[in-house]
Amino acid sequence: MSGVRRLRAWWSARRRFEFCLTVAMMVALTGFCGALVMLPNSALPKPHAAQATEAVGQAAATDPRLAEVRRSIEPFGPILAHQVATGDGQQSLVVGHPAQRIEIDILERELAAATTAVTEVWGPDWAQSTLVVVASSPSEFAGLVHAGATMSAEVAAASVADPFAPGTRPTGQRIVFSPDAGRRLDPDGLRTLLRHELTHIATRAETRDGAPLWMLEGFADYTAHRGQGHSFTDIAPTLTAQTRLHDLPDNLPTDTDFTGPNAAATYEQAWSICAYIADKYDQPRLVDLYRRIAAAEQTPASEDQILQTVLGINRADFIADWRNWLSTQTV
């Protein structure tokens, strides 16, 4: 019996020990939870959803343009969004993700000056407010510009708009930068590219599909480089080399020239045509020429008529004079 009594005593002691241990653990856990409640919010880890919204400024959070792109960009991570005051009391919006914070900061700093630069050339008759998005991946970039699998890896930025009827203002316009734009371009390059795409935004209401790219892209590049102190050689290194070898273009670039291995040189030619017009004639006539040529698809005959109306020169003489002007730029 003594053995039974000892076993019962041991079992009773063990049960008392387990009870005391349980009570002690409950007290400790209650104290820990109370301490967590007393901690300031800054000391607590934040859930992913909170991180995704905390970098959105109060004004940006209510901007309807953010709502337009939120569903497209939220799956790619936390969102940064800030409004930027731009021309004529308007507000533009810059949106992206933390991984692209450097590019976002540069674009925020440059957006107001870029808007002013475009307005100085084109005039104030445009929204002077835009949405700028920096994508975090090729798939996000392609989705934002509605390009799908057709988006070239060489494209660092693109501007898009919803379909619109002639005579109405475009809606849904935005500029989208690719995820590697910041790695491929320094701040000066990002500034220039922003101004180029902003020019497309400003002129879109007066630009028709099928209008010649030598005018559309050349004018955007002219506006982008204007007033930045870039030399002819800086802007057009390939064209400079060709000109010094007396290998001058013998015609205006065709639309197909803007794709393929010689695309960079073609963009340089297009810029130089617009720079020549502004230099030889003046900037207002360059803008007038854009409005007329960009208004419809063109043929050499229709371009000839427009050139004679605006500049007083036929197409053949215009090309010859442009070639002569090129020869004077690289001496």
Side-chain angles (χ1 to χ4, degrees), residues 19-51:
F19 173 77
C20 292
L21 181 62
T22 301
V23 170
M25 290 177 66
M26 291 179 65
V27 170
L29 183 60
T30 302
F32 177 72
C33 292
L36 285 178
V37 171
M38 298 299 293
L39 280 175
N41 288 339
S42 59
L44 295 172
K46 295 180 176 61
H48 181 77
Q51 292 176 344

Side-chain angles (χ1 to χ4, degrees), residues 65 92 111 115 118 122 125-132 158-162 164 169-176 193-207 220 290:
R65 291 169 296 189
S92 292
L111 190 50
T115 302
V118 172
W122 184 249
D125 188 23
W126 67 290
Q128 300 184 54
S129 170
T130 193
L131 168 64
V132 178
S159 57
V160 295
D162 296 334
F164 64 99
R169 285 190 176 273
T171 59
Q173 293 206 92
R174 58 178 174 263
I175 299 170
V176 185
L193 184 56
L194 175 64
R195 295 184 181 199
H196 177 105
E197 297 301 336
L198 265 180
T199 304
H200 288 314
I201 295 286
T203 60
R204 193 177 303 279
E206 299 191 37
T207 303
Y290 180 95

Side-chain angles (χ1 to χ4, degrees), residues 190-276:
L190 285 173
R191 179 192 311 118
T192 302
L193 184 56
L194 175 64
R195 295 184 181 199
H196 177 105
E197 297 301 336
L198 265 180
T199 304
H200 288 314
I201 295 286
T203 60
R204 193 177 303 279
E206 299 191 37
T207 303
R208 297 293 173 263
D209 291 343
L213 291 178
W214 68 261
M215 176 54 81
L216 274 54
E217 297 300 336
F219 184 78
D221 264 359
Y222 166 80
T223 304
H225 288 288
R226 174 185 171 273
Q228 293 207 66
H230 299 158
S231 68
F232 186 99
T233 301
D234 291 337
I235 300 169
T238 302
L239 184 58
T240 297
Q242 292 173 341
T243 301
R244 287 173 176 168
L245 294 172
H246 306 289
D247 182 19
L248 296 169
D250 57 7
N251 205 341
L252 303 179
T254 66
D255 285 5
T256 57
D257 293 333
F258 284 86
T259 57
N262 296 320
T266 302
Y267 274 88
E268 293 176 14
Q269 289 180 24
W271 163 80
S272 73
I273 295 168
C274 292
Y276 149 69

Side-chain angles (χ1 to χ4, degrees), residues 78-131:
I79 297 172
L80 306 178
H82 296 97
Q83 283 190 338
V84 178
T86 47
D88 197 26
Q90 302 298 311
Q91 293 289 333
S92 292
L93 185 66
V94 181
V95 182
H97 303 283
Q100 281 70 44
R101 186 59 185 261
I102 293 175
E103 296 94 310
I104 291 169
D105 288 347
I106 292 172
L107 294 170
E108 282 186 21
R109 290 196 303 268
E110 295 293 340
L111 190 50
T115 302
T116 299
V118 172
T119 301
E120 286 175 350
V121 178
W122 184 249
D125 188 23
W126 67 290
Q128 300 184 54
S129 170
T130 193
L131 168 64

